[in-house]
Amino acid sequence: MNADKKKALGEIVIFLVLDISILIFGNLALRYLFSKGSVIFDIASVIDEILVVVIVFVPLLIFKDRNINMGFSKSKIWIQVLYGVLLFGGMLIIFKLFGNSCEGRPFKLDSLLFYTFWYAFSAATTEELAYRGLLFTRFNTLFGNAIISVVISSVLFGAAHFMVGDIFHIIMSTATGILLCLARAYLKNCTLVSTMIAHFLYDFLMCYLAI
């Protein structure tokens, strides 16, 4: 195993150990210490998401890895945005195929602003950085095979939702992860900006407005 693969493996292991710790203890804290739907619960959820952003960069710092560009580009922004909207449509189709539905939330300005600019934005940013950014690119380095990288990073993405849903929710999350990863792997100019836009629209329009 060459130096780049050893570094990729080390970064993957460190991230997963930290991420699993946050998933378990963070979700347990949210579930048993705070009342779901309360302001404190929502704030704690955002903090939990922000912690994931922090741990994305921990392995990079440990290994002194300057390769922090995990899928961003300044080229053809309008195409990146267009891909994001199209991918959101694909995610919505997957959601509907699984027969899921959301109740939505009361239309209040304060909750709308919070859910838009904090909750949905933080979830989209952190999860894309983690699963379509760090893990996908490092698995690619480790295995040198895009399909293997797509499958493993997407399965891990689905498994990360085990604390917030049933088996169908996990499978659905895996399926949406595969969609986003395949787009990253095979669509030119499809970047993390594209998947973040798709993820944000999915979380906000589907969960808040229950479209």
Side-chain angles (χ1 to χ4, degrees):
M1 184 180 292
N2 62 35
D4 288 339
K5 289 186 177 182
K6 287 180 180 178
K7 181 187 291 184
L9 179 59
E11 290 177 354
I12 290 169
V13 170
I14 290 173
F15 171 78
L16 288 178
V17 169
L18 294 173
D19 190 38
I20 291 171
S21 298
I22 289 177
L23 283 171
I24 294 175
F25 296 108
N27 278 284
L28 286 176
L30 287 172
R31 183 170 296 183
Y32 295 108
L33 296 180
F34 310 110
S35 299
K36 189 172 183 179
S38 67
V39 174
I40 296 177
F41 180 90
D42 286 339
I43 293 174
S45 299
V46 171
I47 293 173
D48 191 55
E49 292 285 355
I50 292 174
L51 284 175
V52 178
V53 172
V54 174
I55 67 171
V56 165
F57 294 98
V58 169
L60 301 182
L61 293 172
I62 291 175
F63 284 90
K64 298 179 181 179
D65 190 347
R66 296 182 180 180
N67 183 22
I68 61 173
N69 187 358
M70 294 173 286
F72 292 105
S73 173
K74 295 180 181 179
S75 176
K76 298 183 179 179
I77 298 296
W78 69 273
I79 294 182
Q80 297 181 44
V81 174
L82 177 61
Y83 276 142
V85 175
L86 293 175
L87 286 171
F88 159 66
M91 294 173 73
L92 188 60
I93 290 172
I94 291 173
F95 180 80
K96 296 300 183 181
L97 285 176
F98 275 85
N100 289 296
S101 61
C102 289
E103 296 180 356
R105 296 193 172 205
F107 191 83
K108 296 179 181 179
L109 183 59
D110 56 346
S111 62
L112 176 65
L113 292 174
F114 177 85
Y115 202 81
T116 303
F117 295 107
W118 287 105
Y119 196 79
F121 178 78
S122 64
T125 302
T126 57
E127 292 178 8
E128 293 311 310
L129 273 173
Y131 295 96
R132 259 66 68 184
L134 180 70
L135 289 182
F136 175 67
T137 57
R138 273 41 180 187
F139 278 126
N140 239 342
T141 300
L142 184 61
F143 296 110
N145 185 300
I147 293 298
I148 293 176
S149 305
V150 166
V151 171
I152 296 178
S153 58
S154 299
V155 168
L156 289 172
F157 177 64
H161 291 77
F162 79 102
M163 296 289 284
V164 294
D166 55 22
I167 186 63
F168 293 104
H169 188 89
I170 293 172
I171 295 172
M172 183 189 69
S173 298
T174 302
T176 56
I178 289 174
L179 171 68
L180 296 177
C181 269
L182 286 174
R184 282 274 290 109
Y186 294 108
L187 292 179
K188 186 178 180 180
N189 297 311
C190 183
T191 66
L192 272 188
V193 170
S194 305
T195 61
M196 284 179 179
I197 290 172
H199 200 141
F200 170 80
L201 291 174
Y202 179 79
D203 281 355
F204 176 66
L205 294 177
M206 181 196 69
C207 295
Y208 191 95
L209 299 180
I211 62 174

